[in-house]
Amino acid sequence: LFRSHHAIVSGDAEGCRIPVERLHQSVLRDPAALRSLLTSWQAVLDDVDRVIGRFANGPAEARLARFVLFLLERQGNRARLRRRDAAELIGVTPVSVTRLIARFKREGLIVERDGRLLTADCERLGLLAREGRVCGQGSGGLEGELCFQGRA
């Protein structure tokens, strides 16, 4: 069967599949369950829209900074920075994500080993996520200097 919807999971997740017939039977037994289910599903979809919107605007480095902060917020020390997932979500190529991550490492924004985020400078990532550019050594600026590109 063709399915028009799919999901990409960037961390640990749980899912369930409810046969349509079982759903019909549940709604017939308890009509209020349908309202509760639809409300729950709508809340999840609203959350997804907000999350995707966070990663769709601004320069690629700001979008990646937001994604790193999102991973840390949701997964803490279990956060894994998968290049392909990040690329799909922020709308760039995996090569671009790899280059940005290398720059983030050089500038001391993140420490990563084997795809796992070990530590991050959340304050500087937050500045970058707001579409500023945090300059590091070798980038022509002072360590920790904030160089805004576009709007401040």
Side-chain angles (χ1 to χ4, degrees):
L1 279 170
F2 174 75
R3 305 254 193 288
S4 62
H5 301 288
H6 66 278
I8 297 171
V9 178
S10 61
D12 296 337
E14 284 186 33
C16 69
R17 191 171 135 186
I18 303 170
V20 173
E21 187 55 40
R22 182 178 291 172
L23 187 59
H24 284 267
Q25 291 169 0
S26 296
V27 169
L28 288 174
R29 279 193 313 271
D30 182 9
L34 178 60
R35 178 178 287 284
S36 175
L37 189 58
L38 290 175
T39 300
S40 175
W41 286 347
Q42 187 62 52
V44 170
L45 290 173
D46 291 345
D47 189 39
V48 167
D49 283 343
R50 277 191 300 278
V51 167
I52 290 173
R54 286 170 59 187
F55 306 129
N57 298 307
E61 60 188 7
R63 295 190 313 254
L64 183 60
R66 285 185 213 120
F67 181 62
V68 168
L69 290 169
F70 172 80
L71 285 176
L72 291 169
E73 175 188 314
R74 297 286 172 105
Q75 300 175 7
N77 63 358
R78 296 179 333 228
R80 293 192 66 78
L81 189 52
R82 294 180 177 98
R83 273 79 169 146
R84 179 157 290 166
D85 293 343
E88 287 183 22
L89 192 59
I90 70 171
V92 298
T93 66
V95 170
S96 294
V97 168
T98 299
R99 288 181 181 146
L100 284 170
I101 289 170
R103 199 185 97 215
F104 283 12
K105 287 178 179 182
R106 280 192 311 274
E107 294 182 4
L109 294 170
I110 63 171
V111 174
E112 178 202 36
R113 188 174 306 126
D114 299 325
R116 188 168 304 282
L117 286 168
L118 301 178
T119 61
D121 185 335
C122 293
E123 184 176 333
R124 289 177 63 216
L125 279 171
L127 292 171
L128 181 58
R130 287 187 287 279
E131 298 190 43
R133 185 179 173 304
V134 178
C135 298
Q137 291 177 320
S139 63
L142 301 173
E143 187 68 33
E145 176 186 357
L146 181 62
C147 303
F148 282 100
Q149 295 177 337
R151 57 179 194 246

